[in-house]
Amino acid sequence: MKTDILLEIDKDKFRSRLSGYTRQAYSRLPHMEAPAILDIGCGSGIPTIQLAIISKGKITAVDIDRQSLNILRDKIKVFRLSGHIKPVRHSLLTLHFKNTCFDIVWAEGSIAVIGFEKGIQEWRRFIKPGGFLVVHDEITNYREKMTCIPKFNYTLVHHFKISEHVWLNEYFNPLLQRIKELQVIYKNDPGAMKILDKEASETALFMKSPENLASLFYIMQKI
Ligand SMILES: C[S@@+](CC[C@H](N)C(=O)[O-])C[C@H]1O[C@@H](n2cnc3c(N)ncnc32)[C@H](O)[C@@H]1O
């Protein structure tokens, strides 16, 4: 039941509305022929699919969550991208790839798990000399985050913000609207309502502090 209701909410549909920003960040990189990309905390692969299509490279897509990876596997089949995306179930806290084997390390919405400073420090070794680290992270403490970029031997090539208005209009408001629709449909189903009420209150809680909803893309080059 839990899975069914979550599938009906379909957060991916709303997350997809922000895919243009993944493409915008990628467009800031120099042309690379079929780059090797490590997508850390890929989830169900909204950015991963975009990256595979635009880069035509080889993506190793890592996440700890089995269910998200299964959704990604389904998408890989639908988009016929099996030659381009390899899903790997592993914790981002204990990654064990060889040194300097990726042209690009990409992380959207996942660096907070390890912490910005620790993440950029630890993931640096996976990047080829002159390669790139692209991080999409919550806006909080962005000044401190920017100061640690040169400290760990990266150049900040470019950065851009996704405003709280974009997040509200494209993601949070439509998501809450969808949850409310389902609350009407499932009003006589206590199991479904429990999940829907939880999702609604979590979403509403996020929306209470709209200034924290904004996010930032950091495009960094390994020195
Ligand atoms: C906010 S989602 C972002 C998903 C995707 N990158 C996107 O932008 O749509 C964060 C992802 O990090 C994953 N995650 C959380 N802790 C993790 C860990 N210890 N190791 C690997 N992935 C983790 C979650 O499972 C989730 O898929």
Side-chain angles (χ1 to χ4, degrees), residues 12 15 22 39-48 62-65 68 90-95 106-110 113 136:
D12 266 17
R15 173 67 182 89
T22 297
D39 183 0
I40 299 179
C42 62
S44 59
I46 303 281
T48 324
V62 178
D63 204 284
I64 193 91
D65 186 59
S68 298
H90 207 280
S91 173
L92 61 77
L93 298 169
T94 53
L95 296 174
W106 199 279
E108 291 201 45
S110 59
V113 174
H136 180 193

mmCIF file of all heavy atoms in Angstrom, residues 12 15 22 39-48 62-65 68 90-95 106-110 113 136, ligand 1:
data_model
loop_
_atom_site.group_PDB
_atom_site.id
_atom_site.type_symbol
_atom_site.label_atom_id
_atom_site.label_comp_id
_atom_site.label_asym_id
_atom_site.label_seq_id
_atom_site.Cartn_x
_atom_site.Cartn_y
_atom_site.Cartn_z
ATOM 1 N N ASP A 12 8.301 12.291 -8.637
ATOM 2 C CA ASP A 12 9.170 12.414 -9.821
ATOM 3 C C ASP A 12 8.600 13.373 -10.856
ATOM 4 O O ASP A 12 9.331 14.086 -11.534
ATOM 5 C CB ASP A 12 9.319 11.046 -10.497
ATOM 6 C CG ASP A 12 10.564 10.325 -10.006
ATOM 7 O OD1 ASP A 12 11.099 10.724 -8.961
ATOM 8 O OD2 ASP A 12 10.976 9.364 -10.676
ATOM 9 N N ARG A 15 9.473 16.757 -9.636
ATOM 10 C CA ARG A 15 10.940 16.930 -9.663
ATOM 11 C C ARG A 15 11.420 17.133 -11.110
ATOM 12 O O ARG A 15 12.337 17.909 -11.362
ATOM 13 C CB ARG A 15 11.597 15.688 -9.029
ATOM 14 C CG ARG A 15 13.113 15.606 -9.126
ATOM 15 C CD ARG A 15 13.787 16.674 -8.306
ATOM 16 N NE ARG A 15 15.234 16.638 -8.431
ATOM 17 C CZ ARG A 15 15.926 17.302 -9.355
ATOM 18 N NH1 ARG A 15 15.309 18.067 -10.232
ATOM 19 N NH2 ARG A 15 17.241 17.220 -9.378
ATOM 20 N N THR A 22 19.422 20.933 -14.522
ATOM 21 C CA THR A 22 20.502 19.939 -14.706
ATOM 22 C C THR A 22 21.162 20.191 -16.062
ATOM 23 O O THR A 22 22.388 20.222 -16.183
ATOM 24 C CB THR A 22 19.921 18.503 -14.644
ATOM 25 O OG1 THR A 22 19.363 18.300 -13.347
ATOM 26 C CG2 THR A 22 20.977 17.460 -14.923
ATOM 27 N N ASP A 39 27.276 9.669 -10.645
ATOM 28 C CA ASP A 39 26.123 10.404 -10.110
ATOM 29 C C ASP A 39 25.863 9.893 -8.694
ATOM 30 O O ASP A 39 25.398 8.766 -8.505
ATOM 31 C CB ASP A 39 24.903 10.176 -11.024
ATOM 32 C CG ASP A 39 23.688 10.968 -10.576
ATOM 33 O OD1 ASP A 39 23.769 11.688 -9.563
ATOM 34 O OD2 ASP A 39 22.634 10.861 -11.241
ATOM 35 N N ILE A 40 26.180 10.733 -7.714
ATOM 36 C CA ILE A 40 26.120 10.301 -6.307
ATOM 37 C C ILE A 40 24.767 10.677 -5.705
ATOM 38 O O ILE A 40 24.381 11.840 -5.725
ATOM 39 C CB ILE A 40 27.266 10.948 -5.496
ATOM 40 C CG1 ILE A 40 28.628 10.530 -6.061
ATOM 41 C CG2 ILE A 40 27.152 10.573 -4.025
ATOM 42 C CD1 ILE A 40 29.824 11.126 -5.339
ATOM 43 N N GLY A 41 24.048 9.684 -5.161
ATOM 44 C CA GLY A 41 22.705 9.930 -4.618
ATOM 45 C C GLY A 41 21.736 10.200 -5.748
ATOM 46 O O GLY A 41 20.983 11.165 -5.731
ATOM 47 N N CYS A 42 21.749 9.275 -6.713
ATOM 48 C CA CYS A 42 20.993 9.482 -7.966
ATOM 49 C C CYS A 42 19.484 9.387 -7.773
ATOM 50 O O CYS A 42 18.713 9.862 -8.595
ATOM 51 C CB CYS A 42 21.433 8.463 -9.014
ATOM 52 S SG CYS A 42 21.106 6.757 -8.488
ATOM 53 N N GLY A 43 19.037 8.749 -6.667
ATOM 54 C CA GLY A 43 17.601 8.563 -6.445
ATOM 55 C C GLY A 43 16.984 7.774 -7.593
ATOM 56 O O GLY A 43 17.569 6.830 -8.114
ATOM 57 N N SER A 44 15.802 8.208 -8.006
ATOM 58 C CA SER A 44 15.124 7.498 -9.103
ATOM 59 C C SER A 44 15.604 8.004 -10.466
ATOM 60 O O SER A 44 15.032 7.638 -11.488
ATOM 61 C CB SER A 44 13.625 7.657 -8.965
ATOM 62 O OG SER A 44 13.320 9.025 -8.989
ATOM 63 N N GLY A 45 16.621 8.862 -10.452
ATOM 64 C CA GLY A 45 17.337 9.144 -11.695
ATOM 65 C C GLY A 45 16.832 10.285 -12.561
ATOM 66 O O GLY A 45 17.091 10.290 -13.761
ATOM 67 N N ILE A 46 16.161 11.265 -11.958
ATOM 68 C CA ILE A 46 15.717 12.393 -12.793
ATOM 69 C C ILE A 46 16.938 13.077 -13.442
ATOM 70 O O ILE A 46 17.002 13.197 -14.672
ATOM 71 C CB ILE A 46 14.878 13.422 -11.983
ATOM 72 C CG1 ILE A 46 13.667 12.760 -11.331
ATOM 73 C CG2 ILE A 46 14.500 14.630 -12.830
ATOM 74 C CD1 ILE A 46 12.506 12.510 -12.227
ATOM 75 N N PRO A 47 17.951 13.482 -12.645
ATOM 76 C CA PRO A 47 19.137 14.049 -13.303
ATOM 77 C C PRO A 47 19.919 13.014 -14.119
ATOM 78 O O PRO A 47 20.458 13.335 -15.175
ATOM 79 C CB PRO A 47 19.990 14.583 -12.146
ATOM 80 C CG PRO A 47 19.073 14.694 -10.980
ATOM 81 C CD PRO A 47 18.050 13.612 -11.173
ATOM 82 N N THR A 48 19.949 11.778 -13.633
ATOM 83 C CA THR A 48 20.748 10.733 -14.305
ATOM 84 C C THR A 48 20.323 10.550 -15.762
ATOM 85 O O THR A 48 21.180 10.464 -16.662
ATOM 86 C CB THR A 48 20.561 9.369 -13.574
ATOM 87 O OG1 THR A 48 20.455 9.599 -12.175
ATOM 88 C CG2 THR A 48 21.697 8.430 -13.876
ATOM 89 N N VAL A 62 24.817 5.964 -8.227
ATOM 90 C CA VAL A 62 24.875 5.342 -6.902
ATOM 91 C C VAL A 62 23.774 5.877 -6.000
ATOM 92 O O VAL A 62 23.564 7.085 -5.905
ATOM 93 C CB VAL A 62 26.244 5.648 -6.232
ATOM 94 C CG1 VAL A 62 26.305 5.058 -4.833
ATOM 95 C CG2 VAL A 62 27.390 5.129 -7.071
ATOM 96 N N ASP A 63 23.102 4.957 -5.315
ATOM 97 C CA ASP A 63 22.160 5.361 -4.271
ATOM 98 C C ASP A 63 22.010 4.195 -3.290
ATOM 99 O O ASP A 63 22.238 3.043 -3.649
ATOM 100 C CB ASP A 63 20.790 5.725 -4.867
ATOM 101 C CG ASP A 63 20.000 6.671 -3.962
ATOM 102 O OD1 ASP A 63 19.459 6.203 -2.938
ATOM 103 O OD2 ASP A 63 19.932 7.872 -4.252
ATOM 104 N N ILE A 64 21.603 4.539 -2.078
ATOM 105 C CA ILE A 64 21.427 3.507 -1.043
ATOM 106 C C ILE A 64 20.026 2.899 -1.115
ATOM 107 O O ILE A 64 19.795 1.801 -0.621
ATOM 108 C CB ILE A 64 21.679 4.142 0.363
ATOM 109 C CG1 ILE A 64 21.836 3.107 1.471
ATOM 110 C CG2 ILE A 64 20.593 5.110 0.761
ATOM 111 C CD1 ILE A 64 23.230 2.689 1.693
ATOM 112 N N ASP A 65 19.105 3.593 -1.744
ATOM 113 C CA ASP A 65 17.693 3.218 -1.662
ATOM 114 C C ASP A 65 17.283 2.268 -2.797
ATOM 115 O O ASP A 65 17.259 2.642 -3.970
ATOM 116 C CB ASP A 65 16.834 4.498 -1.690
ATOM 117 C CG ASP A 65 15.374 4.177 -1.470
ATOM 118 O OD1 ASP A 65 15.050 3.608 -0.423
ATOM 119 O OD2 ASP A 65 14.563 4.462 -2.373
ATOM 120 N N SER A 68 14.224 3.322 -5.077
ATOM 121 C CA SER A 68 14.553 4.368 -6.065
ATOM 122 C C SER A 68 15.352 3.783 -7.226
ATOM 123 O O SER A 68 15.123 4.124 -8.391
ATOM 124 C CB SER A 68 15.375 5.489 -5.404
ATOM 125 O OG SER A 68 14.637 6.093 -4.393
ATOM 126 N N HIS A 90 24.827 1.475 -3.104
ATOM 127 C CA HIS A 90 25.942 1.655 -2.168
ATOM 128 C C HIS A 90 25.749 2.944 -1.399
ATOM 129 O O HIS A 90 25.084 3.859 -1.890
ATOM 130 C CB HIS A 90 27.267 1.702 -2.936
ATOM 131 C CG HIS A 90 28.421 1.246 -2.110
ATOM 132 N ND1 HIS A 90 29.035 2.057 -1.186
ATOM 133 C CD2 HIS A 90 29.044 0.052 -2.032
ATOM 134 C CE1 HIS A 90 29.988 1.384 -0.587
ATOM 135 N NE2 HIS A 90 30.020 0.156 -1.085
ATOM 136 N N SER A 91 26.348 2.999 -0.224
ATOM 137 C CA SER A 91 26.264 4.253 0.543
ATOM 138 C C SER A 91 27.274 5.259 0.012
ATOM 139 O O SER A 91 28.426 4.912 -0.265
ATOM 140 C CB SER A 91 26.548 3.994 2.020
ATOM 141 O OG SER A 91 26.614 5.242 2.688
ATOM 142 N N LEU A 92 26.858 6.497 -0.066
ATOM 143 C CA LEU A 92 27.781 7.553 -0.510
ATOM 144 C C LEU A 92 28.806 7.862 0.576
ATOM 145 O O LEU A 92 29.766 8.598 0.346
ATOM 146 C CB LEU A 92 26.994 8.811 -0.930
ATOM 147 C CG LEU A 92 26.113 9.560 0.080
ATOM 148 C CD1 LEU A 92 26.893 10.421 1.037
ATOM 149 C CD2 LEU A 92 25.137 10.435 -0.693
ATOM 150 N N LEU A 93 28.590 7.300 1.749
ATOM 151 C CA LEU A 93 29.538 7.557 2.842
ATOM 152 C C LEU A 93 30.769 6.656 2.741
ATOM 153 O O LEU A 93 31.781 6.912 3.387
ATOM 154 C CB LEU A 93 28.850 7.321 4.200
ATOM 155 C CG LEU A 93 27.666 8.237 4.487
ATOM 156 C CD1 LEU A 93 26.893 7.769 5.713
ATOM 157 C CD2 LEU A 93 28.124 9.679 4.667
ATOM 158 N N THR A 94 30.663 5.600 1.938
ATOM 159 C CA THR A 94 31.780 4.636 1.848
ATOM 160 C C THR A 94 32.037 4.259 0.387
ATOM 161 O O THR A 94 32.052 3.075 0.050
ATOM 162 C CB THR A 94 31.459 3.363 2.662
ATOM 163 O OG1 THR A 94 30.174 2.874 2.215
ATOM 164 C CG2 THR A 94 31.405 3.615 4.149
ATOM 165 N N LEU A 95 32.220 5.225 -0.453
ATOM 166 C CA LEU A 95 32.441 4.936 -1.884
ATOM 167 C C LEU A 95 33.855 4.394 -2.080
ATOM 168 O O LEU A 95 34.798 4.833 -1.414
ATOM 169 C CB LEU A 95 32.217 6.201 -2.717
ATOM 170 C CG LEU A 95 30.785 6.754 -2.689
ATOM 171 C CD1 LEU A 95 30.712 8.090 -3.418
ATOM 172 C CD2 LEU A 95 29.807 5.770 -3.321
ATOM 173 N N TRP A 106 28.876 14.093 -10.133
ATOM 174 C CA TRP A 106 27.645 14.897 -10.125
ATOM 175 C C TRP A 106 26.851 14.525 -8.874
ATOM 176 O O TRP A 106 26.674 13.331 -8.599
ATOM 177 C CB TRP A 106 26.828 14.548 -11.377
ATOM 178 C CG TRP A 106 25.785 15.566 -11.747
ATOM 179 C CD1 TRP A 106 24.543 15.703 -11.216
ATOM 180 C CD2 TRP A 106 25.910 16.580 -12.748
ATOM 181 N NE1 TRP A 106 23.882 16.750 -11.824
ATOM 182 C CE2 TRP A 106 24.701 17.301 -12.762
ATOM 183 C CE3 TRP A 106 26.941 16.950 -13.626
ATOM 184 C CZ2 TRP A 106 24.474 18.380 -13.627
ATOM 185 C CZ3 TRP A 106 26.715 18.011 -14.486
ATOM 186 C CH2 TRP A 106 25.494 18.713 -14.481
ATOM 187 N N ALA A 107 26.370 15.514 -8.124
ATOM 188 C CA ALA A 107 25.585 15.192 -6.920
ATOM 189 C C ALA A 107 24.475 16.216 -6.746
ATOM 190 O O ALA A 107 24.747 17.376 -6.441
ATOM 191 C CB ALA A 107 26.485 15.179 -5.687
ATOM 192 N N GLU A 108 23.243 15.773 -6.964
ATOM 193 C CA GLU A 108 22.103 16.678 -6.758
ATOM 194 C C GLU A 108 21.309 16.211 -5.538
ATOM 195 O O GLU A 108 20.834 15.071 -5.496
ATOM 196 C CB GLU A 108 21.206 16.703 -8.002
ATOM 197 C CG GLU A 108 21.885 17.380 -9.178
ATOM 198 C CD GLU A 108 20.882 17.866 -10.220
ATOM 199 O OE1 GLU A 108 19.859 18.456 -9.858
ATOM 200 O OE2 GLU A 108 21.170 17.656 -11.418
ATOM 201 N N GLY A 109 21.201 17.105 -4.571
ATOM 202 C CA GLY A 109 20.363 16.838 -3.397
ATOM 203 C C GLY A 109 20.924 15.804 -2.453
ATOM 204 O O GLY A 109 20.187 15.277 -1.616
ATOM 205 N N SER A 110 22.207 15.488 -2.564
ATOM 206 C CA SER A 110 22.732 14.393 -1.741
ATOM 207 C C SER A 110 23.942 14.769 -0.892
ATOM 208 O O SER A 110 24.274 14.051 0.050
ATOM 209 C CB SER A 110 23.107 13.206 -2.643
ATOM 210 O OG SER A 110 24.073 13.602 -3.583
ATOM 211 N N VAL A 113 24.058 14.777 3.029
ATOM 212 C CA VAL A 113 24.176 13.527 3.800
ATOM 213 C C VAL A 113 25.581 13.407 4.413
ATOM 214 O O VAL A 113 25.743 12.980 5.553
ATOM 215 C CB VAL A 113 23.878 12.294 2.894
ATOM 216 C CG1 VAL A 113 24.140 10.986 3.622
ATOM 217 C CG2 VAL A 113 22.458 12.343 2.365
ATOM 218 N N HIS A 136 24.494 20.177 -6.580
ATOM 219 C CA HIS A 136 23.260 20.948 -6.426
ATOM 220 C C HIS A 136 22.829 20.753 -4.982
ATOM 221 O O HIS A 136 22.527 19.638 -4.563
ATOM 222 C CB HIS A 136 22.197 20.430 -7.403
ATOM 223 C CG HIS A 136 20.892 21.145 -7.320
ATOM 224 N ND1 HIS A 136 19.747 20.673 -7.906
ATOM 225 C CD2 HIS A 136 20.533 22.310 -6.723
ATOM 226 C CE1 HIS A 136 18.742 21.508 -7.686
ATOM 227 N NE2 HIS A 136 19.192 22.512 -6.961
HETATM 228 C C1 LIG B 1 16.971 14.524 -2.491
HETATM 229 S S1 LIG B 1 17.283 12.953 -3.160
HETATM 230 C C2 LIG B 1 18.053 13.414 -4.681
HETATM 231 C C3 LIG B 1 17.873 12.408 -5.759
HETATM 232 C C4 LIG B 1 18.356 12.862 -7.130
HETATM 233 N N1 LIG B 1 19.772 13.128 -7.139
HETATM 234 C C5 LIG B 1 17.604 14.083 -7.579
HETATM 235 O O1 LIG B 1 18.194 15.166 -7.628
HETATM 236 O O2 LIG B 1 16.418 13.958 -7.905
HETATM 237 C C6 LIG B 1 18.650 12.391 -2.193
HETATM 238 C C7 LIG B 1 19.076 10.969 -2.492
HETATM 239 O O3 LIG B 1 20.196 10.635 -1.671
HETATM 240 C C8 LIG B 1 20.063 9.280 -1.319
HETATM 241 N N2 LIG B 1 20.842 8.991 -0.112
HETATM 242 C C9 LIG B 1 20.605 9.371 1.166
HETATM 243 N N3 LIG B 1 21.538 8.866 1.987
HETATM 244 C C10 LIG B 1 22.382 8.144 1.208
HETATM 245 C C11 LIG B 1 23.537 7.379 1.470
HETATM 246 N N4 LIG B 1 24.039 7.244 2.692
HETATM 247 N N5 LIG B 1 24.163 6.794 0.427
HETATM 248 C C12 LIG B 1 23.676 6.904 -0.835
HETATM 249 N N6 LIG B 1 22.576 7.609 -1.142
HETATM 250 C C13 LIG B 1 21.939 8.218 -0.140
HETATM 251 C C14 LIG B 1 18.579 9.080 -1.087
HETATM 252 O O4 LIG B 1 18.227 7.715 -1.161
HETATM 253 C C15 LIG B 1 17.997 9.938 -2.194
HETATM 254 O O5 LIG B 1 17.756 9.172 -3.349
#
